[in-house]
Amino acid sequence: MKLQKLSLREIRMPLVTPFETSFGRVTNRRMLLVEAESDGVSGWGESVAGEGPFYAPETVETTWLILRDFIWPLLKDRHFNSAAEIWPAMETIRGHNMAKGAVESALWDAEAKQKGTPLWQLLGGVRQEIPCGVSIGIKESLEELVGTVERELAAGYQRIKIKIKPGLDLAPVESLRLRFPRIKLMVDANSAYRLEDWPHLKRLEAYYLMMIEQPLGWDDIFSHVELQRRLDTPICLDECIHTEEHARAAIDLGACRIINIKLGRVGGYTPARRIHDLCRSRQIPVWCGGMLESGIGRAHNIALSTLENFTLPGDVTASRRYWVEDVIDPEVVVTPQGTIRVPDGPGIGYRPRLDRIEAITARKEILA
Ligand code: OSB
Ligand code: MG
């Protein structure tokens, strides 16, 4: 396969409800979609970078720049036997995983479409229905939080994750546990604590959490080793894991017992599968994280979640939780059992709605 044309589009969509984490609040999403044309077939990908460098160093602007000025010149018109060769071809570029992940995933979609195969099968996925949890942002009041959790449970979602930060941690977790004694419950701190806070985090153990996601520094694997020694609750790393080497260090040093894999954070399917395989060999379960994606990124998360070791419910949920109208057809829907049925059409299995995408495109650049 050859990459003959790469279209970059920035789309803008308001979230149905603003999403607040320990690092900020998002109301309007800006997302970079890439359309990669290979041998007459279009594959689609999404850069999951945020508007600002607050979750990870990349932003919409940096992914655009790296894709146009560095990735495109490296990949254009080169012959590849399969999409599995794309990631190694970008290895000379250090970091910028979200930019790499966008084009890499688009070419996997293109290859699957060329072969007339669902992407999840090309990747070696093993399940046709994936278990889903929800990620709930920081709310104004405990009543609002409890009401939101009630609705998500009624919709079928299998586990609840809430965002926490210092001062808004014990009370929300306690009210949820009192109201819902038996649900699968976890928290995500997005690096809001320091190792010295460990006695405070230890108090969360009274509420039987499935895991505590990324409590400490975004690039600080070592402090998580110290923290995990002091906690019985498993730590799950998100922000800290950008490469297979990070995953190996974190697991073998004892920094975590669970890993959240995000395609964009690790740079695409090739590194995601390697981390998945490494975790499987070390008996570390994984799950697929979310980045408030449009339907394109969402479809890729569904394909990734079909791999064998994605045994825990991920943050992959219905389109309508985020968007009044998504950019794919059909939209992503969740069953009353809190699962998503994996589509069996070729590629990502959801059709990009070009009319809708054009209508919300703020800028576009075609590289050919
Ligand atoms: O830490 O998992 C995270 C959203 C933006 C940035 C980071 C995170 C999140 C979420 C939302 O938790 C997951 C979703 O897309 O539903
Ligand atoms: Mg997280």
Side-chain angles (χ1 to χ4, degrees):
M1 63 193 306
K2 271 187 184 166
L3 175 61
Q4 279 112 359
K5 184 173 160 191
L6 191 66
S7 309
L8 310 180
R9 290 183 180 86
E10 181 190 326
I11 59 167
R12 298 187 177 182
M13 285 199 287
L15 287 168
V16 168
T17 34
F19 191 82
E20 187 171 329
T21 63
S22 62
F23 61 81
R25 188 181 170 91
V26 187
T27 309
N28 292 295
R29 287 282 289 126
R30 296 172 55 196
M31 292 157 286
L32 196 169
L33 298 185
V34 312
E35 181 182 359
E37 225 178 276
S38 170
D39 314 318
V41 173
S42 267
W44 286 78
E46 176 170 343
S47 146
V48 303
E51 295 72 26
F54 308 120
Y55 161 83
E58 293 178 272
T59 70
V60 178
E61 298 292 334
T62 70
T63 54
W64 190 291
L65 175 101
I66 294 292
L67 279 162
R68 184 191 61 203
D69 292 355
F70 297 99
I71 292 178
W72 167 248
L74 263 187
L75 300 184
K76 72 167 177 176
D77 294 326
R78 258 179 76 175
H79 174 79
F80 296 102
N81 290 310
S82 75
E85 294 178 358
I86 304 295
W87 190 79
M90 299 186 289
E91 255 185 321
T92 52
I93 299 172
R94 294 184 179 174
H96 296 286
N97 286 345
M98 292 175 179
K100 291 174 181 172
V103 69
E104 201 251 17
S105 57
L107 284 160
W108 275 96
D109 178 34
E111 180 180 345
K113 282 174 176 150
Q114 278 161 16
K115 295 185 164 151
T117 307
L119 174 55
W120 68 273
Q121 279 180 10
L122 184 64
L123 292 166
V126 297
R127 67 180 68 79
Q128 292 204 65
E129 203 167 337
I130 63 162
C132 307
V134 287
S135 174
I136 297 175
I138 294 169
K139 300 292 180 190
E140 305 261 300
S141 69
L142 293 183
E143 295 70 48
E144 192 187 346
L145 175 65
V146 170
T148 304
V149 170
E150 205 150 41
R151 275 195 304 281
E152 301 294 14
L153 291 170
Y157 287 104
Q158 299 184 10
R159 74 96 170 97
I160 300 291
K161 151 172 149 184
I162 64 162
K163 296 291 190 177
I164 58 166
K165 65 177 181 184
L168 271 181
D169 41 24
L170 292 172
V173 169
E174 179 175 45
S175 12
L176 289 180
R177 235 334 149 229
L178 288 175
R179 177 73 181 70
F180 310 104
R182 302 174 62 106
I183 61 168
K184 286 185 181 149
L185 181 64
M186 60 175 286
V187 294
D188 185 357
N190 290 110
S191 300
Y193 296 88
R194 308 175 54 83
L195 183 56
E196 305 86 90
D197 299 324
W198 75 266
H200 184 73
L201 293 169
K202 185 90 190 152
R203 293 177 63 194
L204 285 171
E205 305 217 276
Y207 306 104
Y208 303 98
L209 300 176
M210 282 178 92
M211 68 193 92
I212 301 179
E213 185 177 347
Q214 194 69 39
L216 308 180
W218 73 278
D219 60 350
D220 187 0
I221 290 176
F222 186 69
S223 293
H224 285 96
V225 178
E226 294 292 314
L227 181 63
Q228 184 69 89
R229 280 201 194 114
R230 293 165 163 90
L231 297 181
D232 296 318
T233 308
I235 290 175
C236 168
L237 288 179
D238 174 353
E239 279 90 328
C240 272
I241 309 297
H242 292 261
T243 63
E244 186 188 1
E245 291 75 19
H246 289 160
R248 179 169 298 119
I251 295 168
D252 290 354
L253 293 170
C256 64
R257 295 192 202 127
I258 298 171
I259 287 180
N260 154 338
I261 299 182
K262 291 177 179 169
L263 268 179
R265 201 190 64 230
V266 303
Y269 285 108
T270 294
R273 285 203 302 186
R274 285 197 198 151
I275 294 171
H276 163 274
D277 293 353
L278 170 76
C279 289
R280 187 180 46 189
S281 74
R282 300 285 207 280
Q283 292 172 335
I284 297 285
V286 302
W287 53 276
C288 181
M291 290 291 288
L292 312 175
E293 289 95 342
S294 83
I296 301 291
R298 216 160 276 282
H300 280 289
N301 289 342
I302 293 167
L304 180 67
S305 302
T306 65
L307 299 183
E308 189 185 341
N309 195 35
F310 281 82
T311 49
L312 298 170
D315 283 346
V316 185
T317 62
S319 298
R320 56 181 294 187
R321 290 190 65 250
Y322 304 84
W323 318 117
V324 172
E325 205 184 337
D326 205 341
V327 299
I328 50 167
D329 185 32
E331 300 203 331
V332 176
V333 294
V334 167
T335 68
Q337 291 72 41
T339 62
I340 292 172
R341 293 211 180 88
V342 181
D344 46 25
I348 55 176
Y350 295 86
R351 248 179 344 95
R353 287 178 52 189
L354 278 172
D355 54 338
R356 168 106 183 104
I357 291 171
E358 286 295 326
I360 57 172
T361 293
R363 61 175 161 155
K364 180 173 170 179
E365 192 166 341
I366 295 176
L367 308 167

